[in-house]
């Protein structure tokens, strides 16, 4: 698998060649002159590289790869109608560039939809005739929020969830001939509904941002046999030197088997065969451990066999790593990787873009933020109340970046928030959610864990941020821990504290602080600083708006910013011997009116030099912990 930037480039080139060979979109969708980005906002340098004929052409699912696929990104027709309309429009408002959200500049539309309206998409694709033993799947990386899918005017199904991938088998809805019509209806209430929605609000202000409605990740079709692998589950057990594996196979018959083959740099290191639908183990002798300094990846080939004959095959990858709590030489509980203490330090990363909002303009842009974070000397990223496309995690896996994954918040309000951890059970501080609200949360949290489970870079799940919609904390935390015991669980980053989970997380601005080690040091939890910093510096010509930008503490120039940041790091260093196990600095980039990023929102200015940051951060990992 990819280990270097050079190999990353080769993979992107290969993915692009597959796209050029297999992309079939209607002729009206390929007219580049029909498209131009919406003007009036700052843009990243990658905006100029967006090709309206094939935006984001890379293969979108690195953990389950096949060769027969078609990327449907490009110019589609769109219409914004009354929310009550459930019939496919006969007239459309114009063209929209999929997969950029309709509110974004790169969509070419730049309009707000809101809860009183529905957003419709329409396109016609060319699809070669398929045999009676094949199925055509229509995949969506993510669509926010309620999606109804139609093929040739007939409704295929509905999906609710703004962050998880979903698919439909559209084979029964195909008509004779090569052309097939695909229509999509999306309804998204943003902050007017109880569903998870992260930082989106209908009236953006302060730390709350522009709504994201509709398709915001790649749309694609995939040709599969009648019996096919729909997903896999891969769990490394470093202590047992094994990988627990299983495959979910659709259409399996009695006697069908699944063969798993693990490879290291192309050489087979383990293989086993199991009955379809069962779990088995691959013995990985003398495992090469994955870590931020050595992000070693193994390849994995999965094949469905029927009487010895190959029916379906996919390729994937895995890593041998363990995320757990450990004791240091002084008996202090620490966050551990591969049974050793490791101080985890990284930025709060919100994954927003001035031109694409939730959607990075190009794959190179998606990779850029991770590469820069690595160059700055961070070994971790806290992905803040957003789920990224699969390729983002793929790059974290490949480059060696630990990830704390937040659940996108929703249904805010109604909490009594005590920002300073206490000792009470906190039952009076849990929000009382409706049955519908709780149902959306649980369904989408499970779906998001399932979708990202196989990425080894993810070492922490965070169900709640602060007290934003925090409810049934003990129950949700225990469920998460039981559902995935291979990772640590941070029950509520900076939120109301309950005696549950693996970490006690404090937020403090701007200076570093930590939960009192005298009170909490013997709790058996790791003590972490989930947010601090927020040092602001607006750079003229690189801000979302000209005036009224803010940070938690603002500075006049880059020298002042670096001096203050250096003071924070020196303070942070002193907390580590006391028991601090991790810290998160706010934040990677500016986001809309927030100017407290290390980089500007357009990524064109890095406010503090990477080499100086790297040198400042290096001693943090050398402390005795």
């Amino acid at each position: 698998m990819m280990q270097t930037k050079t190999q990353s480039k080769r993979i992107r080139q290969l993915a692009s060649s597959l796209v050029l060979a297999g992309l079939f979109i209607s002729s009206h969708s390929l007219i580049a002159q029909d498209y131009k980005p919406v003007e009036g906002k700052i843009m990243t340098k990658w905006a100029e590289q967006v090709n309206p004929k094939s935006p984001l052409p890379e293969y979108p699912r690195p953990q389950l790869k096949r060769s027969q696929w078609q990327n449907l990104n490009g110019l589609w027709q769109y219409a914004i109608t009354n929310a009550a309309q459930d019939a496919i429009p006969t007239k459309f408002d114009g063209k929209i560039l999929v997969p950029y959200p309709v509110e974004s500049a790169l969509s070419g539309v730049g309009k707000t939809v809101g809860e009183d309206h529905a957003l419709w998409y329409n396109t016609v694709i060319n699809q070669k005739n398929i045999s009676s033993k094949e199925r055509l799947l229509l995949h969506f990386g993510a669509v926010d929020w309620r999606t109804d899918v139609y093929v040739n005017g007939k409704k295929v199904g509905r999906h609710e969830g703004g962050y998880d991938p979903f698919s439909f088998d559209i084979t029964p809805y195909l008509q004779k001939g090569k052309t097939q019509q695909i229509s999509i209806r999306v309804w998204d209430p943003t902050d007017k509904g109880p569903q998870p929605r992260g930082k989106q609000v209908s009236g953006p202000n302060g730390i709350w941002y522009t709504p994201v409605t509709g398709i915001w990740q790649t749309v694609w079709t995939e040709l599969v046999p009648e019996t096919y692998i729909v997903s896999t589950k891969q769990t490394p057990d470093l202590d047992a030197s094994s990988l627990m594996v299983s495959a979910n196979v659709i259409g399996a018959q009695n006697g069908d088997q699944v063969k798993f083959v693990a490879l290291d740099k192309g050489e087979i290191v383990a293989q086993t065969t199991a009955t379809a639908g069962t779990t088995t183990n691959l013995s990985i002798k003398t495992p090469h451990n994955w870590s931020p300094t050595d992000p070693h990846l193994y390849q994995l080939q999965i094949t469905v066999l029927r009487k010895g004959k190959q029916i379906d095959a996919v390729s994937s990858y895995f890593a041998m790593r363990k995320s757990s709590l450990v004791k240091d030489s002084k008996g202090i509980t620490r966050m551990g990787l591969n049974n050793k203490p490791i101080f985890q330090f990284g930025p709060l990363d919100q994954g927003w873009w001035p031109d694409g909002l939730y959607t990075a303009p190009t794959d190179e842009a998606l990779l850029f933020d991770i590469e820069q974070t690595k160059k700055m000397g961070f070994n971790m990223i806290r992905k803040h109340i957003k789920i990224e496309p699969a390729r983002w995690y793929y790059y974290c896996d490949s480059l060696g970046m630990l990830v704390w994954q937040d659940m996108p918040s929703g249904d805010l309000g109604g909490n009594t928030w005590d920002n300073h951890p206490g000792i009470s059970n906190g039952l009076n501080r849990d929000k009382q959610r409706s049955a519908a609200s709780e149902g959306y949360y649980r369904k989408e949290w499970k779906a998001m864990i399932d979708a990202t489970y196989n990425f080894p870079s993810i070492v922490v799940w965070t169900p709640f941020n602060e007290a934003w919609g925090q409810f049934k904390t003990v129950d949700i935390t225990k469920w998460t821990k039981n559902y995935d015991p291979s990772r640590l669980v941070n029950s509520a980053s900076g939120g109301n504290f309950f005696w549950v989970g693996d970490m006690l997380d404090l937020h403090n601005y701007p200076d570093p602080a930590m939960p009192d080690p005298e009170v909490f040091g013997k709790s058996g939890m790791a003590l972490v600083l989930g947010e601090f910093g927020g040092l602001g510096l607006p750079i003229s010509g690189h801000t979302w708006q000209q005036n009224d930008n803010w940070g938690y503490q603002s500075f006049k120039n880059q020298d002042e910013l670096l001096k203050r940041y250096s003071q924070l790091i020196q303070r942070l260093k002193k907390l580590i011997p006391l028991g601090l196990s991790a810290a998160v600095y706010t934040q990677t980039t500016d986001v809309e009116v927030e100017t407290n990023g290390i980089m500007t929102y357009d990524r064109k200015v890095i406010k503090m030099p990477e080499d100086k940051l790297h040198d400042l951060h290096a001693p943090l990992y050398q402390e005795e912990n």
Side-chain angles (χ1 to χ4, degrees):
M1 298 308 300
M2 186 189 69
Q3 302 291 320
T4 67
K5 187 176 180 181
T6 299
Q7 289 171 311
S8 169
K9 183 178 181 181
R10 290 173 182 168
I11 290 175
R12 291 198 297 269
Q13 289 173 339
L14 175 59
S16 296
S17 66
L18 286 172
V19 172
L20 293 175
L23 182 63
F24 297 99
I25 303 180
S26 62
S27 59
H28 76 264
S29 295
L30 297 179
I31 303 174
Q33 57 265 35
D34 285 355
Y35 167 80
K36 67 175 182 178
V38 178
E39 298 179 349
K41 295 295 184 182
I42 56 173
M43 308 285 276
T44 66
K45 66 179 181 180
W46 299 282
E48 298 178 355
Q49 301 172 15
V50 172
N51 180 358
K53 293 184 179 181
S54 58
L56 294 170
E58 295 79 14
Y59 190 86
R61 195 180 57 193
Q63 281 278 10
L64 196 74
K65 295 177 65 176
R66 288 190 181 90
S67 59
Q68 296 192 69
W69 73 291
Q70 297 180 23
N71 192 315
L72 303 187
N73 293 344
L75 288 167
W76 292 38
Q77 294 174 307
Y78 86 94
I80 297 175
T81 69
N82 187 286
Q85 180 172 328
D86 58 3
I88 300 172
T90 56
K91 294 183 179 180
F92 289 86
D93 300 339
K95 301 290 180 63
I96 183 172
L97 189 59
V98 171
Y100 304 103
V102 65
E103 296 90 349
S104 72
L106 287 177
S107 72
V109 179
K111 295 180 181 179
T112 300
V113 179
E115 77 279 11
D116 294 328
H117 296 88
L119 172 63
W120 287 87
Y121 297 82
N122 188 70
T123 193
V124 176
I125 67 170
N126 288 334
Q127 172 63 47
K128 68 176 184 179
N129 292 329
I130 64 176
S131 73
S132 59
K133 295 184 178 181
E134 294 177 312
R135 315 297 293 180
L136 187 66
L137 306 181
L138 177 60
H139 297 285
F140 297 85
V143 184
D144 197 4
W145 170 73
R146 176 183 293 160
T147 308
D148 294 309
V149 177
Y150 300 80
V151 174
N152 296 317
K154 297 180 180 180
K155 187 172 180 178
V156 175
R158 168 176 287 184
H159 176 267
E160 291 181 334
Y163 301 92
D164 57 308
F166 60 98
S167 305
F168 292 105
D169 180 350
I170 63 172
T171 313
Y173 303 90
L174 301 179
Q175 61 187 10
K176 293 183 178 180
K178 293 183 178 181
T179 60
Q180 312 292 334
Q181 180 183 2
I182 297 175
S183 305
I184 313 294
R185 181 187 184 276
V186 181
W187 177 73
D188 180 18
T190 309
D191 56 345
K192 307 301 181 184
Q195 82 290 347
R197 44 87 177 175
K199 287 285 194 81
Q200 304 173 60
V201 293
S202 53
N205 66 93
I207 65 170
W208 308 103
Y209 314 139
T210 302
V212 171
T213 302
I215 297 170
W216 67 274
Q217 288 187 31
T218 292
V219 184
W220 49 296
T221 58
E222 182 180 38
L223 198 60
V224 299
E226 285 185 301
T227 300
Y228 64 95
I229 300 165
V230 68
S231 64
T232 66
K233 188 173 184 179
Q234 302 153 199
T235 309
D237 186 340
L238 199 64
D239 297 332
S241 298
S242 68
L243 179 76
M244 186 167 63
V245 290
S246 62
N248 180 13
V249 181
I250 297 294
Q253 298 180 8
N254 290 336
D256 285 357
Q257 293 185 308
V258 181
K259 184 177 182 180
F260 300 91
V261 180
L263 305 97
D264 189 3
K265 298 178 181 178
E267 298 292 327
I268 295 176
V269 295
Q271 56 183 314
T272 188
T273 302
T275 301
T278 63
T279 300
T280 187
N281 285 282
L282 284 166
S283 178
I284 310 297
K285 296 181 180 179
T286 317
H288 188 155
N289 295 349
W290 182 97
S291 71
T293 56
D294 185 11
H296 186 80
L297 299 178
Y298 291 86
Q299 300 86 49
L300 183 65
Q301 301 291 337
I302 308 104
T303 307
V304 178
L305 301 174
R306 180 172 296 157
K307 297 180 180 180
K309 181 182 178 181
Q310 177 177 308
I311 301 299
D312 187 29
V314 296
S315 62
S316 186
Y317 66 89
F318 67 95
M320 297 301 293
R321 69 98 184 90
K322 179 180 178 182
S323 176
S324 64
L325 297 179
V326 297
K327 297 285 188 179
D328 68 8
S329 59
K330 298 178 182 178
I332 298 174
T333 301
R334 302 280 186 179
M335 296 182 70
L337 185 71
N338 305 332
N339 294 318
K340 296 180 180 179
I342 178 174
F343 186 74
Q344 301 188 22
F345 181 44
L348 189 78
D349 191 307
Q350 307 206 55
W352 283 75
W353 300 83
D355 38 25
L357 299 180
Y358 260 14
T359 310
T362 67
D363 193 65
E364 182 182 353
L366 194 71
L367 174 61
F368 176 83
D369 281 3
I370 306 168
E371 288 183 323
Q372 291 304 119
T373 302
K374 192 81 173 178
K375 289 179 182 178
M376 293 171 185
F378 295 106
N379 68 354
M380 173 264 281
I381 292 172
R382 180 183 169 200
K383 179 49 63 176
H384 190 44
I385 55 176
K386 182 199 177 192
I387 309 295
E388 290 288 359
R391 293 187 66 84
W392 187 87
Y393 300 97
Y394 172 49
Y395 287 135
C396 288
D397 294 343
S398 303
L399 296 176
M401 187 61 70
L402 302 169
V403 175
W404 294 14
Q405 181 59 61
D406 288 8
M407 168 66 172
S409 55
D411 202 6
L412 277 62
N415 291 80
T416 301
W417 185 21
D418 175 13
N419 192 37
H420 299 282
I423 303 177
S424 68
N425 60 20
L427 290 176
N428 62 316
R429 288 177 273 138
D430 260 336
K431 177 180 172 62
Q432 300 300 309
R433 287 203 185 191
S434 68
S437 173
E438 178 175 346
Y440 287 136
Y441 178 96
R442 289 183 181 274
K443 178 173 67 72
E444 294 189 32
W445 183 222
K446 178 181 181 299
M448 284 180 267
I449 292 176
D450 289 342
T452 56
Y453 182 90
N454 288 340
F455 295 111
S457 55
I458 300 176
V459 293
V460 172
W461 299 121
T462 305
F464 301 108
N465 175 69
E466 297 182 349
W468 297 355
Q470 184 180 346
F471 79 105
K472 293 189 177 180
T473 309
V474 173
D475 182 24
I476 296 294
T477 302
K478 288 183 176 180
W479 179 90
T480 304
K481 190 68 179 178
N482 290 335
Y483 194 65
D484 181 12
S486 72
R487 291 179 171 93
L488 299 179
V489 179
N490 184 8
S491 62
S493 182
N496 292 321
F497 174 63
F498 294 75
W499 291 104
V500 67
D502 298 302
M503 301 151 67
L504 175 52
D505 184 323
L506 177 70
H507 291 183
N508 196 78
Y509 287 98
D511 292 277
M514 66 180 291
D516 188 343
E518 295 297 323
V519 176
F520 301 102
K522 297 180 181 180
S523 67
M525 298 180 177
L527 307 182
V528 305
L529 174 59
E531 291 181 26
F532 79 102
L535 305 182
L537 177 64
I539 303 292
S540 180
H542 300 276
T543 56
W544 179 252
Q545 61 188 31
Q546 187 65 31
N547 301 310
D548 299 323
N549 297 293
W550 73 279
Y552 287 93
Q553 186 176 6
S554 296
F555 298 87
K556 295 179 181 179
N557 57 59
Q558 290 172 277
D559 290 338
E560 286 186 1
L561 177 66
L562 180 60
K563 181 179 179 180
R564 182 70 173 109
Y565 183 84
S566 300
Q567 293 172 351
L568 299 187
I569 298 304
Q570 293 307 313
R571 168 62 179 162
L572 184 64
K573 183 179 178 181
K574 294 178 182 179
L575 298 178
I576 299 174
L578 302 179
L580 186 67
S581 197
V584 178
Y585 177 79
T586 302
Q587 61 186 330
T588 306
T589 72
D590 297 345
V591 183
E592 299 201 353
V593 302
E594 289 187 57
T595 55
N596 49 21
I598 299 174
M599 296 185 285
T600 54
Y601 198 14
D602 58 12
R603 277 72 166 175
K604 292 179 179 178
V605 178
I606 298 174
K607 302 177 188 179
M608 294 180 285
E610 299 105 308
D611 57 345
K612 291 187 178 181
L613 290 177
H614 189 279
D615 292 343
L616 274 173
H617 298 160
L620 300 176
Y621 310 115
Q622 298 168 4
E623 289 292 322
E624 170 63 25
N625 54 18

